[in-house]
Amino acid sequence: MPVAAELSSPFAPIPIKMHIGFCIFATIVFLIIYFRKKTVSSLIWLLACDTTVILQFFNDKTTATAVGICEIVMLIIIIRFEISEYLERRAAKKAELAAEAAESPEPDNREDIERLMKSEMQNIADSGENNVIKNAFEDDKP
């Protein structure tokens, strides 16, 4: 029997057994995603996938149009939630980085240390007869 003969509705894209199997599979997948990520958009995806099964049982154009409009509205809502969830994750990451930056100590100002070292080196080099650098090679003098 050809697949087209198994279709119970002109508005449903696949036979009813395959459609229900797809809906069960999609429900399981999106529930797993929801429980792992806790995102509202995964629940709306679940509803969008399962709403199409209505077309298997109601064959009129009004129902098909209503389901189509519902699908479009759900897709718009999914896009909105995905964008807002993305922006929330990005803001949380920025806040986390800012908190880490606030907790870390200020970088050391090494300019003071460098100036102190230069002045001490000059003091050592300019100390006259007790010059450490000049006296380092006393054994080499004739």
Side-chain angles (χ1 to χ4, degrees), residues 118-131:
K118 283 182 182 179
S119 68
E120 289 299 318
M121 291 300 286
Q122 286 177 348
N123 289 342
I124 291 173
D126 295 337
S127 61
E129 289 299 319
N130 294 330
N131 187 337

Side-chain angles (χ1 to χ4, degrees), residues 43-59:
L43 290 177
I44 299 170
W45 272 114
L46 182 144
L47 288 173
C49 288
D50 289 347
T51 302
T52 59
V53 83
I54 293 171
L55 298 174
Q56 293 287 350
F57 303 106
F58 298 96
N59 299 330

Side-chain angles (χ1 to χ4, degrees), residues 57-77:
F57 303 106
F58 298 96
N59 299 330
D60 58 307
K61 286 184 179 184
T62 307
T63 304
T65 304
V67 169
I69 291 171
C70 286
E71 292 286 328
I72 290 170
V73 169
M74 283 191 272
L75 288 175
I76 291 169
I77 292 170

